[in-house]
Amino acid sequence: MQDSIEITRPAPGVGLLTISRPEKHNAIDPATDQKMAQAFAELDADAGVRCIVVTGAGNRAFCAGADIPELLHHIKHNMAAQRDDPQFCGITHRIATSKPVLAAINGVALGGGLEIALACDMRIASSSASFGLPEIKVGVLAGGGGCTRLPRTIPVALAAEMILTGEPIGATRALEAGLISQVTEPDALIPRALEIAAAVASRAPKSVRACTALLRRARYDELQDALADERRAFADVLLSHDADEGIRAFAEKRAPRYEDH
């Protein structure tokens, strides 16, 4: 069986981490969550890698977020550990690597997929990409940094619309809002991402590390209290009857029937 995370080194100084579950739109199950953290650790330890590119296999999805029936069930039954260590895919709550990370978003980036992208230092996307936090549609919330980072990355009104409706936006609107820095044609995305990463890798290593650390303060150091509040809210919602109904309805492919509280 193909590994769900692939690591290659396609250019000098560049590591490419690919989420490889195309049949599941690169959704994250518990095993992939763990393997992605291990992949970041491997690339961080490789002195020959100076910049990391993260993408998804195929052209339909960067990452569709959690494999809902599997991952949310796993989190719910390991809630005590998740509260103590909420790190998702090795990147959302603690710095995974001192090396800059570029998200090359080649399709849908939904839920946890968008949260992975938000935790990256740079983001570019293909014209076919879309971005959303649909967790509210299954009775939960984006507890991997989505509710915390998105309104600090794009205009608050747009972030609120995305979070409260669960509806996605396309690449053009994402570019206008500052969620990504550029849009390419689908076939040009990975070559462009590798070109940017190679340029970063060619710069003075000490300067790159220092600049990366400074850029990350607003996404990590200054957000610890907000991320903790978000995680507590996520735990509270995940343990609710509405979450049970939302997840069950998703699995049964029907509209959820929420209670009026």
Side-chain angles (χ1 to χ4, degrees):
M1 185 171 64
Q2 185 180 19
D3 202 338
S4 60
I5 296 293
E6 297 177 359
I7 297 176
T8 56
R9 292 162 177 80
V14 178
L16 178 62
L17 189 165
T18 303
I19 307 167
S20 188
R21 300 185 77 211
E23 75 287 354
K24 293 282 190 177
H25 290 83
N26 301 322
I28 305 296
D29 63 356
T32 305
D33 181 16
Q34 184 177 32
K35 288 176 182 178
M36 195 161 177
Q38 293 168 348
F40 275 119
E42 177 181 329
L43 291 167
D44 187 57
D46 186 342
V49 172
R50 295 184 178 180
C51 188
I52 299 167
V53 176
V54 178
T55 195
N59 57 14
R60 295 187 302 167
F62 171 74
C63 172
D67 191 329
I68 288 174
E70 290 193 42
L71 189 63
L72 292 188
H73 177 80
H74 173 80
I75 291 172
K76 186 172 181 177
H77 286 273
N78 293 275
M79 186 56 72
Q82 288 289 329
R83 281 174 171 158
D84 293 338
D85 185 17
Q87 185 85 322
F88 178 62
C89 288
I91 194 172
T92 58
H93 287 68
R94 296 189 311 280
I95 294 171
T97 171
S98 62
K99 300 167 185 181
V101 182
L102 166 64
I105 302 160
N106 51 312
V108 298
L110 301 176
L114 180 52
E115 290 174 316
I116 292 167
L118 285 166
C120 291
D121 303 291
M122 300 169 280
R123 292 175 293 278
I124 67 171
S126 78
S127 56
S128 62
S130 61
F131 308 80
L133 295 176
E135 286 87 346
I136 201 166
K137 293 183 176 182
V138 294
V140 293
L141 59 82
C147 288
T148 296
R149 287 197 175 100
L150 189 64
R152 291 166 170 81
T153 305
I154 65 174
V156 173
L158 177 56
E161 178 184 317
M162 292 172 66
I163 291 166
L164 293 173
T165 68
E167 296 299 329
I169 61 172
T172 299
R173 195 171 186 195
L175 179 64
E176 293 169 349
L179 181 56
I180 54 178
S181 63
Q182 55 184 278
V183 176
T184 74
E185 291 302 312
D187 290 344
L189 177 68
I190 297 302
R192 180 59 180 144
L194 297 180
E195 181 182 18
I196 295 170
V200 172
S202 73
R203 307 308 188 222
K206 188 171 183 177
S207 295
V208 170
R209 285 194 299 271
C211 291
T212 300
L214 290 168
L215 286 165
R216 286 177 175 168
R217 283 186 178 178
R219 293 203 319 282
Y220 287 97
D221 296 352
E222 297 169 14
L223 288 186
Q224 286 308 304
D225 288 345
L227 287 168
D229 288 344
E230 177 190 82
R231 199 63 185 187
R232 282 190 289 271
F234 172 74
D236 182 58
V237 170
L238 184 60
L239 295 173
S240 70
H241 293 298
D242 278 353
D244 289 340
E245 167 61 13
I247 295 166
R248 188 182 307 113
F250 178 87
E252 296 173 358
K253 296 181 170 55
R254 61 171 173 82
R257 296 181 291 271
Y258 295 124
E259 298 177 5
D260 185 12
H261 299 290

